[in-house]
Amino acid sequence: MKILVLNSGSSSVKFQLFDMGDNRVIASGLVEKIGEASSYAKLKDVGADKIYEERAPLKDHHEGLEAMRRLFVSSNILHDFSELDGIGHRIVHGGESFSDSALVTPDVIAKIEQNSVLAPLHNPGHLAGIKNAMHESGKKVPHVVVFDTVFHQTIPEYAYRYALPFDLCKRLHIRRYGFHGTSHHYVTKKAAEYLGVPYEKFNAVSLHLGNGASACAVQGGKSVDTSMGLSPLEGLIMGTRSGDMDPAVLTYLLNLGELTAEGIDAFLNKKSGLLGICGSNDMREVVAKMHEGDERAHLAFEMFCYRIKKYIGAYYAVLGRVDAVVFTGGIGENAPYSREKICNDLTHMGIKIDHELNFAASGGIRDLSVPDAAVKTLVVPTNEELEIALETKRVIENL
Ligand code: ADP
């Protein structure tokens, strides 16, 4: 079974082709800078370790996906998209309309369109990807949408509501949705498998720490709380996003004339977080600057780790019993200093990591805990594309 996974943004499309016999990546690539003169499409034949590239202005997603199809044909990986068993699409925001992955139908497209108000930066690009991929594949290939928000649809109402006027929130669908759902689901499933615990009995605090970062409380294999909210802004400190803060800061800045209503989005999403504190949004740079004695970088690092520690404590209280703390994402997988700082002094909660194991270089799933730790601390490399492929396969097989 061959499944193509697409992650379509407003000006780019990332893709991976999977052989679902052994979940192997056959080819991967991207179409970049759609709409610009410098656009290009690239495909890597993973088995042959060969790159195919096309550089030409691609004015829209239609031309972008045509270029992708040409690369599949010229590399001899596919003769035609009709050979695909399915195409899976990553969708950031499913709003309240979706509590599972879904086969693409006109009704599903209309619902994703309606949810664009909640994710104006993401959903329009996803829709352009779906519509043009459907055009390229012909009618026989099923398309499936897999949402970042779906895993969190099991969060109870008392945890997903904001304490704001109820009717207004209901009418405008204001609530916690949560994101990184495919990642939290994938890594906690892998962690349960690794520890030999049935997923439906598995309790974990999952920490996806990348440029965007979120924590998730998983109880019996279901998300019961997560740190991101209506948008991917709430919760942890991120590369350029503030995470939790008192909204009164905004009123204060607006009243002082230091900020305009139009500037709020960029202020919170692009100028804050690690970047706002110390001038770097990349954890590698923050750690390097900290080791050179930069005080702001040190503060940014401490703030980042402290916020995560608070969420571990909160979710520990929510879950009662925790089998594992799971680290994933670029920082979670690769930044031992952060893991050490976050897990430091949590022995009373059964969380204790071994210094050598934490600093040992390894790319796979691994247990960092000391032998007698009641709660296992694991690193599980995330694979959102594979999770989307697996979901696509599941939906197609249930048709
Ligand atoms: P995204 O959320 O965009 O997918 P990633 O999951 O790739 O991002 O994570 C990016 C973050 O991971 C950056 O802050 C980067 O500095 C950090 N990172 C990647 N590799 C390392 C490393 N070896 N050490 C420390 N941080 C790392």
Side-chain angles (χ1 to χ4, degrees):
M1 190 182 219
K2 280 182 186 159
I3 289 184
L4 179 65
V5 170
L6 296 185
N7 183 356
S8 310
S10 55
S11 62
S12 69
V13 178
K14 290 188 191 141
F15 57 89
Q16 282 198 4
L17 177 64
F18 286 89
D19 179 338
M20 301 312 288
D22 53 3
N23 296 344
R24 178 172 53 92
V25 179
I26 302 171
S28 64
L30 78 173
V31 186
E32 273 279 28
K33 302 195 177 186
I34 295 173
E36 294 177 35
S38 56
S39 42
Y40 61 91
K42 227 184 213 183
L43 177 148
K44 180 177 183 185
D45 178 338
V46 174
D49 195 20
K50 203 167 163 193
I51 303 234
Y52 297 81
E53 203 169 338
E54 195 180 300
R55 285 190 179 269
L58 303 164
K59 79 169 186 307
D60 52 21
H61 283 71
H62 177 67
E63 292 191 357
L65 289 180
E66 272 187 338
M68 177 180 80
R69 185 174 51 76
R70 279 196 299 275
L71 288 177
F72 271 112
V73 173
S74 60
S75 61
N76 262 325
I77 291 172
L78 294 171
H79 299 111
D80 195 84
F81 271 14
S82 60
E83 288 166 39
L84 294 169
D85 295 285
I87 300 184
H89 298 266
R90 177 200 178 207
I91 310 289
V92 166
H93 217 309
E96 291 182 304
S97 323
F98 297 97
S99 52
D100 200 357
S101 308
L103 184 74
V104 176
T105 61
D107 180 49
V108 162
I109 290 183
K111 282 185 179 147
I112 297 171
E113 258 156 14
Q114 282 159 19
N115 286 321
S116 285
V117 284
L118 293 168
L121 300 179
H122 293 102
N123 281 16
H126 299 331
L127 285 162
I130 295 173
K131 287 175 186 168
N132 288 293
M134 290 178 92
H135 178 79
E136 294 298 320
S137 71
K139 288 207 172 116
K140 288 208 180 115
V141 180
H143 288 248
V144 172
V145 278
V146 181
F147 300 89
D148 283 8
T149 46
V150 156
F151 183 55
H152 303 300
Q153 284 292 302
T154 45
I155 295 176
E157 188 167 8
Y158 56 78
Y160 73 64
R161 288 272 171 230
Y162 292 117
L164 297 169
F166 187 85
D167 292 338
L168 177 83
C169 291
K170 258 292 269 187
R171 179 163 57 84
L172 297 177
H173 310 287
I174 296 169
R175 51 165 284 187
R176 175 182 312 288
Y177 290 100
F179 299 87
H180 291 141
T182 42
S183 178
H184 288 303
H185 187 211
Y186 178 82
V187 298
T188 52
K189 261 191 316 184
K190 284 275 164 203
E193 211 177 281
Y194 181 82
L195 295 173
V197 181
Y199 193 50
E200 59 290 353
K201 296 204 171 121
F202 189 59
N203 286 5
V205 178
S206 176
L207 301 166
H208 179 110
L209 312 176
N211 282 315
S214 70
C216 176
V218 174
Q219 188 163 48
K222 293 193 162 75
S223 171
V224 292
D225 205 351
T226 193
S227 57
M228 283 177 167
L230 174 78
S231 82
L233 177 60
E234 196 181 344
L236 306 182
I237 294 172
M238 305 177 221
T240 59
R241 292 175 235 166
S242 65
D244 295 337
M245 55 164 276
D246 184 344
V249 171
L250 299 177
T251 345
Y252 180 63
L253 291 175
L254 287 168
N255 287 341
L256 286 176
E258 291 279 343
L259 191 64
T260 60
E262 302 75 53
I264 291 178
D265 253 5
F267 176 71
L268 295 176
N269 282 297
K270 301 216 165 97
K271 297 183 183 162
S272 299
L274 297 172
L275 180 76
I277 307 162
C278 74
S280 293
N281 65 326
D282 188 300
M283 186 49 91
R284 278 167 290 209
E285 265 179 51
V286 175
V287 170
K289 280 163 80 177
M290 177 174 78
H291 288 155
E292 283 161 14
D294 184 313
E295 282 181 19
R296 290 275 206 93
H298 187 225
L299 177 64
F301 179 78
E302 296 233 328
M303 287 170 68
F304 177 86
C305 297
Y306 176 73
R307 179 78 54 89
I308 295 166
K309 195 173 205 145
K310 276 210 300 196
Y311 269 92
I312 294 176
Y315 289 167
Y316 198 106
V318 166
L319 295 171
R321 189 200 88 236
V322 179
D323 295 307
V325 172
V326 181
F327 282 94
T328 196
I331 298 172
E333 292 169 36
N334 302 304
Y337 289 103
S338 320
R339 293 193 299 255
E340 186 167 75
K341 184 79 191 168
I342 293 162
C343 296
N344 197 12
D345 296 331
L346 293 181
T347 315
H348 61 289
M349 287 163 65
I351 300 167
K352 188 163 189 204
I353 60 176
D354 178 279
H355 179 80
E356 311 249 303
L357 290 176
N358 183 36
F359 277 85
S362 162
I365 182 165
R366 56 207 187 269
D367 184 355
L368 310 180
S369 335
V370 297
D372 59 346
V375 175
K376 299 291 175 201
T377 302
L378 305 182
V379 174
V380 182
T382 193
N383 193 338
E384 287 163 285
E385 293 78 15
L386 176 58
E387 175 68 12
I388 294 169
L390 290 167
E391 275 295 287
T392 304
K393 180 174 175 228
R394 180 179 67 80
V395 171
I396 293 169
E397 286 177 343
N398 286 334
L399 283 179

